[in-house]
Amino acid sequence: MERKQTGLDYTLLFLIFLLMCISLVAIYSGAGQYFADDPTYYVVRQLVWYGVGAVIITAVMLLDFDFYKNLTIPFYAIGMVLLLAVEFFGTERNGAQRWIFGIQPSEFMKVFLILALAHLLYRLTKDRQDFSLKADIIVLAKILAVSLPPFLLILKQPDLGTALVIAAIIGTMLLMSGVRWRLLLSLVGTAVFFVAFMIYMHQFHFDFFSEYLIEPHQLSRIYGWLDPDGDTSGIGYQLNQAILGIGSGQLFGSGFMEGMQTQSDVIPEIHTDFIFTVIGEEFGFLGAMVLLVVYFLLFYRMIMIALTCNNLFGSYLVSGVVGLLVFQVFQNIAMTIGLMPITGLALPFISYGGSALLTNMIAIGIVLNVHYRTREYMFKSEENYS
């Protein structure tokens, strides 16, 4: 017996609103130094991007999320065509060929891949009866067949940060696929072996390694991460200044617009990739914890939506979005405090920027759509009534 639709998730919307407020405050403090005559320059533009994002969320919610099953193949095909176009005709910036027609297709491929994998898993698991090892291998092979082409194209641009996000989405969907743990552990073992192989090549065949296996700017980022004191003018300098700023914030922070590192223009990209430095320095440990608590509540809410959704496709969609956002938050904050290499990933909903914010707003629109159109049944799941 059908009861009702669960309705719009105001809790999720309120959490996004809180993140927007934190974003505007941090951007105003961190980016005002670049436009002394107009300190609201980046803030106004971020507000515009949020406004566009709100329109996109509304558009995403117009159609029942179940209808997106019909669009997964076209969206995936468009994403792959754009990635191939970037490979042959893309514009190069800062040593990476990632843009074409003024857009970065790899950003939108994140959402397209979530849609494609969610639909694939739905078809593979909806009426699954065979749980043998052979069947698990087939499921794993199909997931990798869909996932690896965009992953490899993005990695070749090179865009390690986005490639890692794609890997996080793949990992999340593999966890949701229900394949046995030894297969998943074998994939982890393969990744560990690859890292060990790269280290071996670096140590004993450096010429080949630096010429064919890694880009110079990627290698400099790894050097700057491993030995920031030895790189006083590049990545290491940026990382040291960020850590110094966050550490100087201590418990309560130095105060809004009072951060020494933030206001002295010594940290490049502080309003984008390194915006967590602004929060850590000017609002201290407590301010950083407030941000992390908001993120935790956001992820918890999305996980609950995935668990309570009685439509497999919807659950897979939300799970993919969780994997997308959780990894980006972890990577950005970890690179800012020196736990991970610097990859250029934005802090979701906080960093200044258009394409990354719009991608995340599309993802939130999908989650809101799933929650809004999840129906409550007294006895059976939605699949039993379709």
Side-chain angles (χ1 to χ4, degrees):
M1 179 182 298
E2 181 178 341
R3 289 183 175 178
K4 61 177 181 179
Q5 291 183 332
T6 51
L8 194 61
D9 194 322
Y10 293 103
T11 301
L12 200 63
L13 288 174
F14 178 68
L15 292 171
I16 296 298
F17 174 76
L18 289 180
L19 290 173
M20 182 189 73
C21 293
I22 295 171
S23 171
L24 297 178
V25 170
I27 290 173
Y28 182 86
S29 179
Q33 56 185 291
Y34 301 122
F35 292 90
D37 56 334
D38 184 13
T40 62
Y41 179 87
Y42 284 120
V43 173
V44 171
R45 279 152 183 76
Q46 185 77 343
L47 270 174
V48 171
W49 285 122
Y50 261 105
V52 175
V55 173
I56 288 177
I57 286 178
T58 304
V60 170
M61 292 187 64
L62 288 177
L63 296 174
D64 191 314
F65 69 88
D66 237 11
F67 180 77
Y68 289 119
K69 293 175 187 173
N70 303 318
L71 301 177
T72 53
I73 294 178
F75 279 158
Y76 181 84
I78 291 171
M80 288 299 299
V81 168
L82 287 174
L83 288 178
L84 287 170
V86 168
E87 175 67 21
F88 294 104
F89 311 108
T91 304
E92 184 173 328
R93 302 178 190 172
N94 300 322
Q97 191 167 310
R98 305 174 187 173
W99 290 266
I100 189 168
F101 309 129
I103 63 172
Q104 192 173 345
S106 59
E107 283 291 335
F108 299 101
M109 193 66 207
K110 299 172 186 175
V111 177
F112 296 163
L113 184 62
I114 290 172
L115 289 169
L117 290 179
H119 190 200
L120 175 64
L121 283 178
Y122 172 79
R123 295 180 60 183
L124 291 174
T125 61
K126 181 178 65 169
D127 299 313
R128 186 179 178 185
Q129 302 294 328
D130 185 0
F131 293 92
S132 64
L133 177 61
K134 179 182 178 181
D136 279 355
I137 292 175
I138 292 173
V139 171
L140 180 61
K142 289 182 177 180
I143 292 173
L144 293 179
V146 172
S147 306
L148 287 181
F151 173 80
L152 294 174
L153 283 173
I154 292 171
L155 192 63
K156 192 176 182 300
Q157 292 180 356
D159 186 354
L160 179 60
T162 304
L164 290 175
V165 174
I166 295 294
I169 293 171
I170 297 170
T172 304
M173 302 307 259
L174 284 172
L175 287 174
M176 294 295 295
S177 68
V179 301
R180 58 198 66 204
W181 278 98
R182 59 177 169 173
L183 285 178
L184 299 181
L185 290 176
S186 67
L187 288 179
V188 174
T190 302
V192 171
F193 173 79
F194 176 76
V195 173
F197 170 75
M198 294 291 281
I199 294 173
Y200 169 81
M201 294 299 292
H202 174 272
Q203 294 297 112
F204 300 103
H205 303 280
F206 182 77
D207 291 339
F208 183 86
F209 173 82
S210 59
E211 180 71 21
Y212 299 105
L213 298 182
I214 196 168
E215 295 293 328
H217 77 278
Q218 292 177 325
L219 192 58
S220 66
R221 287 184 173 186
I222 294 174
Y223 286 156
W225 169 55
L226 294 175
D227 184 21
D229 294 327
D231 182 16
T232 58
S233 61
I235 297 297
Y237 169 80
Q238 187 179 20
L239 180 57
N240 272 333
Q241 295 300 318
I243 294 174
L244 181 61
I246 294 173
S248 66
Q250 299 185 30
L251 183 60
F252 298 104
S254 56
F256 179 58
M257 301 290 292
E258 297 294 333
M260 180 65 69
Q261 305 300 113
T262 298
Q263 303 303 323
S264 59
D265 194 18
V266 296
I267 305 176
E269 308 298 334
I270 195 169
H271 62 305
T272 54
D273 301 346
F274 278 79
I275 199 165
F276 185 73
T277 305
V278 179
I279 298 168
E281 181 179 19
E282 298 194 345
F283 301 97
F285 177 78
L286 292 181
M289 284 306 300
V290 168
L291 175 62
L292 292 179
V293 167
V294 175
Y295 274 132
F296 172 80
L297 293 175
L298 179 73
F299 299 147
Y300 173 78
R301 186 62 193 149
M302 289 194 291
I303 290 171
M304 291 306 299
I305 291 173
L307 291 175
T308 56
C309 179
N310 43 37
N311 182 300
L312 275 176
F313 180 59
S315 293
Y316 291 143
L317 283 175
V318 179
S319 299
V321 172
V322 171
L324 164 72
L325 296 177
V326 168
F327 179 80
Q328 289 184 108
V329 170
F330 166 76
Q331 169 62 27
N332 180 276
I333 295 177
M335 79 177 188
T336 306
I337 61 178
L339 295 180
M340 292 285 284
I342 295 174
T343 58
L345 284 179
L347 187 58
F349 308 107
I350 303 295
S351 295
Y352 171 80
S355 58
L357 178 60
L358 294 184
T359 300
N360 293 332
M361 294 294 266
I362 293 171
I364 290 297
I366 291 172
V367 176
L368 288 168
N369 193 332
V370 171
H371 181 269
Y372 182 74
R373 289 187 169 84
T374 294
R375 295 174 176 84
E376 294 182 352
Y377 293 91
M378 186 173 296
F379 299 112
K380 297 182 180 181
S381 69
E382 186 171 344
E383 271 76 17
N384 296 116
Y385 290 86
S386 59

